[in-house]
């Protein structure tokens, strides 16, 4: 006999009627939707009823997600990223077995993956997918949520008091400073510092406020707050940032400083009106941190030597290229620190000034006041500089002034948004640069990306299969000397308490450095394409971003998955 379907079981339980099942069959043919989707769309049964019927059909146990907090040790067995990717959550452990609630308990590949990851037998059960997603958000953020929850109990009375009892804007500001909301903001900031986050996103949605952190370049949701807390939360951040708390219709920018465990943090704050309220993004900049060397950033061999040679020049242009968030500013900062000396006058134009460097004159542009990269560069040239750093070449005027400055005996640093080092040359030519001037001023072009580095405490070694080994052989060519997969040891991410189950700690750069030699200069004059220029540079020994990433994989610094994520050819 054929197995009963979900809708048959719901009919047997008197939840669906014959008429509804007939309509369902027709709609399924017309739309291609699953029976579960159609039942949910029409509201004929609750999600719980549908899931219970589906569990009966599949002959797997059904479970409700517990309302109480899930043990942190249980959660540590399966990282949040995996839980979100496959919509599952661990519930309890008994001996060598772990019970896992899943949206698809019949996915044998996922179960096998979890058994390999945890080293335990997986007892899967079906649960409502939306309940699993909610549980993931609340359970994995429970580390800081206990403090937030305690403050939330007090906020209802405080918020009501602010709304009903106070009359003036000044009174509201004073109450917000005292309110438990201040504790919530403090907890959110402290968690960000401890987890090495670079950004905090506080995002209003229809029924809740979501708090996400960018850690090692990856966004991760860590906290969900009631909707009524959002306005006081934003107001508290605005007060700290010296913004107008009564202005919610236009974007605003501000900044403030905090100290966490003797670490001084500069926070850049940006608000943006959305359909559900103001979204707030806080960028964390750690002051007084160690300035890495070029080799600590990830530069190696020929690329390191080419950058060091370019930094010894007294004139010319050094460009750093890559997408937003690829570490261009950090590379420029390291370069400036290397040539910073009392006898050298260095002036920078930045938007904004992210890192303060002692002994360097740093200027933040202010377009509203008429201080742009172009107008600021004109003024800097009258300040007797030896070295100039322009945060970004955004237009033809800035580019022309940068070239002119380098021609008159200045070393100029800047950034450009291109995918490769060779791609920067056609971009500048398209912006109106004269080929003969560009060829005589460009000294080196650096392209970079950031990859997460493996946690050395929990990384796992393995030997690649023949297919992956062949990819290394093909991509690296003469740079690769192994003869068989057995000779090659690679590492993969696992996850432990030290890395918060992510398998990664911190980030490193992968680079390609294109020195503009006589041959490349001639190609610029002839307006050759980026592909031809890149091929010539590779022939001369340039290592591409992708190749450098693979070399970092061979070092055991990162994984092949990370390199493919940021530098897929």
């Amino acid at each position: 006999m054929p197995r009963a379907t979900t809708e048959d079981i719901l009919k047997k339980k008197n939840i669906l009627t014959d008429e509804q099942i007939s309509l369902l069959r027709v709609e399924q043919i017309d739309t291609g939707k699953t029976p579960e989707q159609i039942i949910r769309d029409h509201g004929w049964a609750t999600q719980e009823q549908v899931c219970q019927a589906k569990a009966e059909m599949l002959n797997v146990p059904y479970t409700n997600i517990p309302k109480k907090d899930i043990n942190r040790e249980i959660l540590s067995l399966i990282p949040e990223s995996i839980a979100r990717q496959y919509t599952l959550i661990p519930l309890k452990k008994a001996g060598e077995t772990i019970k896992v609630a899943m949206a698809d308990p019949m996915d044998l590949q996922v179960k096998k993956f979890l058994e390999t990851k945890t080293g335990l037998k997986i007892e899967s059960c079906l649960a409502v997918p939306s309940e699993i997603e909610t549980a993931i958000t609340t359970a994995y953020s429970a580390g800081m949520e206990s403090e937030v929850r305690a403050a939330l109990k007090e906020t209802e009375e405080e918020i009501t008091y602010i709304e009903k009892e106070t009359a003036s804007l000044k009174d509201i500001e004073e109450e917000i400073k005292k309110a438990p909301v201040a504790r919530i903001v403090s907890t959110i900031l402290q968690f960000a510092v401890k987890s090495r986050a670079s950004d905090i996103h506080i995002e209003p949605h229809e029924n809740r406020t979501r708090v996400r952190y960018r850690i090692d370049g990856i966004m991760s949701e860590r906290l969900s707050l009631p909707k009524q807390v959002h306005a006081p939360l934003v107001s508290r951040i605005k007060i700290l940032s010296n913004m107008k708390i009564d202005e919610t219709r236009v974007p605003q920018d501000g900044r403030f400083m905090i100290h966490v465990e003797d670490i001084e943090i500069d926070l850049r704050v940006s608000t943006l009106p959305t359909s559900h309220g103001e979204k707030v993004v806080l960028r964390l900049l750690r002051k007084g941190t160690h300035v890495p060397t070029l080799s600590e950033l990830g530069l190696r061999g020929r690329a390191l030597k080419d950058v060091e040679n370019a930094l010894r020049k007294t004139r010319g242009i050094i460009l750093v290229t890559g997408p937003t968030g690829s570490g261009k500013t950090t590379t420029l900062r390291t370069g400036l620190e290397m040539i910073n000396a009392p006898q050298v006058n260095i002036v920078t134009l930045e938007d904004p000034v992210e890192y303060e460097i002692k002994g360097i004159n740093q200027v933040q542009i202010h377009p509203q006041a008429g201080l742009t990269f172009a107008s600021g560069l004109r003024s800097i040239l009258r300040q007797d500089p030896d070295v100039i750093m322009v945060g970004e070449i955004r237009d033809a005027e800035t580019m022309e002034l940068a070239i002119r400055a380098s021609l008159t005996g200045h070393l100029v640093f800047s950034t450009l948004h291109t995918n490769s080092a060779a791609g920067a040359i056609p971009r500048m030519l398209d912006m109106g640069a004269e080929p003969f001037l560009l060829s005589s001023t460009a000294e080196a072009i650096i392209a970079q990306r950031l990859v997460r580095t493996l946690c050395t405490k929990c990384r796992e070694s393995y030997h690649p299969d023949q297919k992956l080994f062949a990819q290394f052989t093909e991509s690296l060519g003469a740079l690769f000397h192994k003869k068989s997969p057995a000779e090659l040891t690679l590492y993969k991410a696992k996850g432990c308490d030290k890395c918060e189950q992510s398998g990664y700690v911190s980030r490193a750069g992968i680079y390609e450095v294109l020195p503009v030699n006589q041959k490349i200069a001639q190609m610029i004059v002839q307006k050759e394409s980026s592909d031809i220029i890149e091929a010539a540079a590779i022939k001369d020994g340039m290592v591409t971003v992708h190749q450098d990433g693979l070399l970092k994989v061979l070092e055991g610094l990162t994984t092949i998955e990370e390199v493919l994520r940021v530098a897929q050819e």
Side-chain angles (χ1 to χ4, degrees):
M1 288 181 66
R3 185 167 60 182
T5 62
T6 303
E7 55 270 31
D8 291 335
I9 294 166
L10 288 170
K11 181 192 170 187
K12 183 182 173 183
K13 293 182 177 182
N14 296 319
I15 295 169
L16 289 185
T17 65
D18 287 330
E19 184 183 357
Q20 286 171 334
I21 289 180
S22 297
L23 290 170
L24 184 150
R25 305 272 192 240
V26 173
E27 192 169 333
Q28 191 179 2
I29 294 167
D30 290 342
T31 65
K33 290 182 179 179
T34 64
E36 289 89 346
Q37 285 177 308
I38 297 167
I39 293 165
R40 187 180 63 243
D41 291 347
H42 286 286
W44 291 337
T46 65
Q47 279 191 304
E48 187 175 11
Q49 289 171 331
V50 172
C51 275
Q52 286 173 341
K54 188 175 179 180
E56 189 176 327
M57 176 193 75
L58 297 172
N59 196 27
V60 296
Y62 171 84
T63 188
N64 287 308
I65 304 295
K67 301 296 180 188
K68 62 181 181 180
D69 290 343
I70 299 168
N71 188 297
R72 293 295 297 174
E73 288 183 13
I74 303 295
L75 291 171
S76 69
L77 295 169
I78 298 176
E80 182 184 355
S81 57
I82 293 173
R84 286 196 181 280
Q85 184 178 352
Y86 299 110
T87 316
L88 54 87
I89 190 164
L91 299 179
K92 63 181 180 181
K93 180 175 175 282
E96 295 301 306
T97 302
I98 181 172
K99 183 180 178 182
V100 180
M102 303 175 67
D104 184 5
M106 301 303 287
D107 193 329
L108 299 179
Q109 268 192 313
V110 172
K111 285 179 69 175
K112 189 176 179 181
F113 168 70
L114 291 176
E115 286 178 347
T116 305
K117 183 81 178 171
T118 62
L120 299 168
K121 185 181 177 184
I122 301 299
E123 179 189 330
S124 60
C125 50
L126 185 67
V128 177
S130 60
E131 287 184 7
I132 296 175
E133 288 167 358
T134 302
I136 291 169
T137 299
T138 55
Y140 282 94
S141 62
M144 65 170 161
E145 201 163 273
S146 55
E147 286 184 53
V148 173
R149 200 181 294 120
L152 282 173
K153 287 180 182 177
E154 302 171 43
T155 54
E156 291 184 18
E157 293 178 12
E158 294 285 347
I159 293 165
T160 304
Y161 173 73
I162 291 168
E163 290 173 351
K164 292 181 179 179
E165 303 296 333
T166 59
S168 71
L169 188 63
K170 188 176 180 181
D171 290 336
I172 292 173
E173 288 187 16
E174 289 302 315
E175 287 303 322
I176 286 170
K177 287 176 185 176
K178 298 175 190 173
V181 170
R183 290 216 310 275
I184 296 174
V185 172
S186 177
T187 304
I188 288 170
L189 295 177
Q190 287 176 17
F191 184 84
V193 176
K194 289 175 182 176
S195 59
R196 312 181 322 278
S198 61
D199 301 86
I200 307 168
H201 292 243
I202 300 172
E203 303 165 323
H205 291 272
E206 188 176 0
N207 300 314
R208 67 181 180 116
T209 289
R210 178 172 70 169
V211 181
R212 293 195 291 171
Y213 294 86
R214 188 177 292 280
I215 301 169
D216 293 336
I218 306 296
M219 290 285 275
S220 173
E221 183 175 335
R222 293 301 173 95
L223 189 63
S224 184
L225 297 170
K227 181 70 177 188
Q228 68 267 23
V229 179
H230 185 78
L233 191 70
V234 174
S235 295
R236 172 62 179 161
I237 293 169
K238 282 184 170 183
I239 290 168
L240 291 169
S241 312
N242 292 316
M243 296 183 193
K244 297 176 182 177
I245 70 167
D246 57 337
E247 179 56 82
T248 60
R249 299 165 299 172
V250 295
Q252 295 186 65
D253 294 298
R255 60 187 293 183
F256 64 97
M257 301 267 300
I258 60 168
H259 285 82
V260 178
E261 296 178 354
D262 297 327
I263 303 171
E264 193 176 8
I265 310 291
D266 187 10
L267 291 117
R268 305 298 167 87
V269 186
S270 172
T271 66
L272 182 72
T274 71
S275 57
H276 294 296
E278 288 181 283
K279 176 181 175 178
V280 182
V281 176
L282 300 97
R283 164 67 58 90
L284 285 78
L285 301 168
R286 288 154 178 80
K287 301 190 78 172
T289 52
H290 163 69
V291 179
T293 63
L294 291 174
S295 58
E296 285 173 343
L297 288 177
L299 281 157
R300 305 279 191 272
R302 169 79 178 269
L304 176 61
K305 186 179 177 183
D306 287 338
V307 173
E308 288 174 339
N309 288 340
L311 290 172
R312 292 191 191 102
K313 306 278 180 158
T314 56
R315 56 169 292 282
I317 297 175
I318 297 174
L319 276 177
V320 183
T321 74
T324 302
S326 59
K328 299 188 295 294
T329 304
T330 303
T331 300
L332 286 176
R333 177 195 181 195
T334 297
L336 290 173
E337 284 278 15
M338 285 181 67
I339 60 175
N340 188 15
Q343 59 268 35
V344 180
N345 180 20
I346 303 175
V347 188
T348 74
L349 263 177
E350 302 172 64
D351 181 26
V353 176
E354 290 193 16
Y355 300 106
E356 290 185 11
I357 308 172
K358 289 181 181 178
I360 291 180
N361 307 286
Q362 294 174 271
V363 180
Q364 181 161 326
I365 71 162
H366 198 306
Q368 292 85 352
L371 180 57
T372 62
F373 281 125
S375 65
L377 191 46
R378 278 198 191 89
S379 299
I380 285 174
L381 290 170
R382 295 192 287 272
Q383 291 281 316
D384 185 32
D386 297 302
V387 178
I388 299 167
M389 195 273 272
V390 183
E392 185 183 343
I393 293 177
R394 294 179 178 173
D395 52 51
E397 188 179 8
T398 308
M399 181 195 59
E400 184 184 340
L401 287 165
I403 290 174
R404 192 186 304 167
S406 65
L407 284 170
T408 52
H410 303 91
L411 185 61
V412 179
F413 292 81
S414 194
T415 69
L416 203 62
H417 287 279
T418 59
N419 289 327
S420 64
I425 294 167
R427 174 69 59 85
M428 293 184 78
L429 293 174
D430 288 342
M431 289 169 71
E434 291 290 344
F436 68 95
L437 292 179
L438 183 59
S439 66
S440 60
T441 55
E443 289 295 337
I445 303 170
I446 305 163
Q448 68 178 87
R449 301 287 190 279
L450 287 177
V451 291
R452 292 181 293 169
T453 54
L454 279 163
C455 173
T456 53
K457 184 181 175 183
C458 65
R459 66 178 186 176
E460 286 188 342
S461 62
Y462 70 99
H463 295 294
D465 57 23
Q466 191 61 49
K467 185 179 178 182
L468 183 56
F469 183 82
Q471 288 177 15
F472 275 91
T473 305
E474 183 183 350
S475 298
L476 293 175
L479 298 170
F480 188 61
H481 306 294
K482 303 293 183 182
K483 295 181 179 179
S484 71
E487 292 181 34
L488 181 59
T489 302
L490 305 180
Y491 293 88
K492 58 185 175 183
K494 183 184 179 185
C496 64
D497 292 338
K498 180 186 173 184
C499 59
E500 295 186 352
Q501 308 304 320
S502 69
Y504 298 94
V505 176
S506 193
R507 290 187 290 177
I510 54 175
Y511 296 86
E512 65 185 34
V513 179
L514 173 62
V516 181
N517 55 28
Q518 191 173 355
K519 184 178 180 181
I520 299 297
Q522 186 61 38
M523 288 182 161
I524 295 172
V525 172
Q526 293 169 353
K527 294 187 176 181
E528 297 285 8
S529 70
S530 60
D531 289 343
I532 293 174
I533 293 171
E534 183 173 272
I538 291 170
K539 192 175 180 181
D540 284 345
M542 183 183 83
V543 175
T544 67
V545 163
H546 183 71
Q547 288 176 324
D548 192 41
L550 294 180
L551 291 172
K552 300 283 194 309
V553 173
L554 295 180
E555 283 182 38
L557 193 68
T558 188
T559 63
I560 186 72
E561 292 81 10
E562 268 297 289
V563 174
L564 293 176
R565 180 177 69 85
V566 302
Q568 181 72 57
E569 289 184 323

